[in-house]
């Protein structure tokens, strides 16, 4: 579970367990909502209510409960699972260049399908780590070989930007405090510009967890090794982890 980290969190969780109407939720889930709302019991309760309403309106009422995403989604949004850290956090690696171009997929499928796909992936991750100490994940997001031409091609499709914003909002609403750290590495100015389009939709506590670094390995590799052992860092970055296991295989 997402265990309390200090006495203030422990006290807030004990009070929330007594006052919340969502008695069926685990302490770990309640703790994550409390952290995301600065231990404010009322705001945490409201956030849970909003999450349940979102699931009702976007999943159940739109018949997405048993929906199977097209295989093309997994082959496009490649995410590699490199292992679990010492606290049981899922460690992921994304080579952003492998995702591009995204425009054909966004033009072929409805935005709701992509948002629900992201929701199901995160829900499956949570089922895997429900009993871990922190119920969180770490992401290494590699932006190597991404220049202005590729980013400009993507941002011309406004529906794509809007969908990505909705994915970000969905994550914050339904999976608060899931992200532990996101390391953006090999990041050129073009990617920073693209990120600026969704940045306003990220809460400050989430932004603080996203660490953006340029292409100088000496600036980001020591930081990766501060948080991760070499067997969790991909071999192409200087670690020893292979990229043979997909996240989707891990959570299936």
């Amino acid at each position: 579970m997402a265990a309390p980290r200090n006495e203030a969190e422990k006290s807030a969780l004990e009070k929330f367990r007594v006052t919340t109407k969502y008695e069926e939720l685990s302490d770990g889930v309640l703790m994550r909502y409390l952290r995301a709302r600065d231990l404010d019991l009322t705001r945490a309760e409201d956030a849970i209510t909003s999450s349940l309403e979102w699931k009702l309106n976007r999943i159940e009422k739109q018949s997405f409960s048993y929906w199977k995403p097209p295989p093309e989604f997994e082959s496009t949004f490649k995410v590699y699972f490199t292992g679990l850290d010492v606290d049981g956090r899922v460690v992921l690696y994304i080579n952003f260049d492998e995702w591009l171009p995204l425009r054909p997929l966004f033009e072929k499928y409805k935005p709701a399908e992509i948002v629900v796909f992201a929701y199901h992936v995160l829900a499956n991750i949570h089922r895997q780590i429900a009993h871990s100490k922190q119920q969180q994940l770490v992401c290494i997001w590699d932006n190597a070989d991404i220049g202005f031409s590729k980013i400009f091609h993507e941002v011309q499709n406004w529906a794509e930007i809007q969908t990505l914003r909705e994915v970000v909002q969905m994550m914050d609403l339904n999976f608060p405090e899931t992200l532990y750290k996101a390391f953006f590495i090999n990041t050129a100015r073009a990617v920073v510009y693209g990120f600026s389009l969704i940045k306003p939709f990220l809460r400050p506590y989430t932004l603080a967890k996203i660490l953006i670094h340029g292409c100088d390995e000496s600036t980001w590799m020591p930081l990766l090794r501060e948080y991760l052992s070499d067997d969790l860092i991909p071999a192409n970055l200087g670690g020893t982890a292979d990229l043979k296991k997909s996240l989707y295989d891990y959570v299936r």
Side-chain angles (χ1 to χ4, degrees):
M1 61 166 284
R5 297 169 182 164
N6 50 52
E7 286 302 316
E9 288 192 352
K10 182 179 179 181
S11 176
L13 179 59
E14 290 173 349
K15 293 176 182 177
F16 200 27
R17 174 53 70 194
V18 173
T19 62
T20 183
K21 62 183 177 182
Y22 300 111
E23 299 176 356
E24 73 280 6
L25 296 181
S26 69
D27 284 356
V29 172
L30 296 180
M31 190 70 257
R32 287 191 294 103
Y33 274 96
L34 282 169
R35 282 184 190 142
R37 298 300 183 269
D38 300 318
L39 304 186
D40 185 312
L41 275 63
T42 301
R43 291 173 59 210
E45 184 91 356
D46 290 344
I48 294 172
T49 300
S50 296
S51 173
L52 294 175
E53 289 175 350
W54 185 93
K55 293 172 189 175
L56 175 64
N57 293 323
R58 297 301 302 273
I59 304 294
E60 297 176 23
K61 287 187 177 180
Q62 295 190 34
S63 302
F64 277 121
S65 296
Y66 301 100
W67 172 76
K68 298 293 184 182
E72 191 176 353
F73 281 21
E74 290 188 9
S75 62
T76 298
F77 298 109
K78 292 180 181 177
V79 184
Y80 300 96
F81 169 74
T82 68
L84 302 174
D85 74 3
V86 293
D87 289 318
R89 298 184 183 94
V90 171
V91 181
L92 308 176
Y93 172 74
I94 294 171
N95 181 343
F96 190 31
D97 195 38
E98 291 186 335
W99 287 19
L100 303 181
L102 284 172
R103 281 186 67 177
L105 185 130
F106 278 86
E107 291 169 353
K108 182 177 180 180
Y109 296 100
K110 297 177 181 178
E113 293 177 293
I114 296 170
V115 174
V116 172
F117 169 70
Y119 169 81
H120 281 306
V121 171
L122 287 165
N124 287 338
I125 291 175
H126 267 279
R127 276 191 282 273
Q128 289 286 352
I129 61 175
H131 301 292
S132 66
K133 183 178 179 181
Q134 299 298 343
Q135 295 185 359
Q136 291 180 308
L137 60 84
V138 177
C139 181
I140 304 172
W141 188 291
D142 190 352
N143 296 302
D145 301 319
I146 305 294
F148 271 106
S149 61
K150 292 180 180 179
I151 292 296
F152 184 71
H153 177 73
E154 299 298 328
V155 299
Q156 290 182 86
N157 183 357
W158 187 244
E160 180 177 335
I161 302 302
Q162 290 288 82
T163 303
L164 291 175
R165 286 176 172 177
E166 189 172 350
V167 168
V168 168
Q169 292 172 319
M170 176 277 296
M171 292 173 62
D172 178 70
L173 181 63
N174 296 293
F175 306 99
E177 279 294 302
T178 295
L179 180 66
Y180 177 59
K181 294 289 180 185
F183 301 96
F184 278 46
I185 62 173
N186 296 317
T187 307
R189 291 182 181 179
V191 179
V192 175
Y193 167 71
F195 180 72
S196 70
L197 298 177
I198 63 170
K199 184 177 178 180
F201 296 87
L202 292 168
R203 291 180 179 272
Y205 75 84
T206 300
L207 278 173
K209 299 175 181 182
I210 301 174
L211 310 175
I212 300 178
H213 293 271
C215 301
D216 184 353
E217 182 180 331
S218 67
T219 65
W220 50 259
M221 180 54 89
L223 190 62
L224 285 185
R225 288 193 165 126
E226 180 181 335
Y227 288 94
L228 302 171
S229 56
D230 269 17
D231 62 328
L232 297 173
I233 300 172
N236 63 301
L237 298 181
T240 61
D242 60 42
L243 298 178
K244 295 180 179 179
K245 191 164 188 177
S246 162
L247 167 67
Y248 309 116
D249 292 332
Y250 170 68
V251 300
R252 214 176 322 266

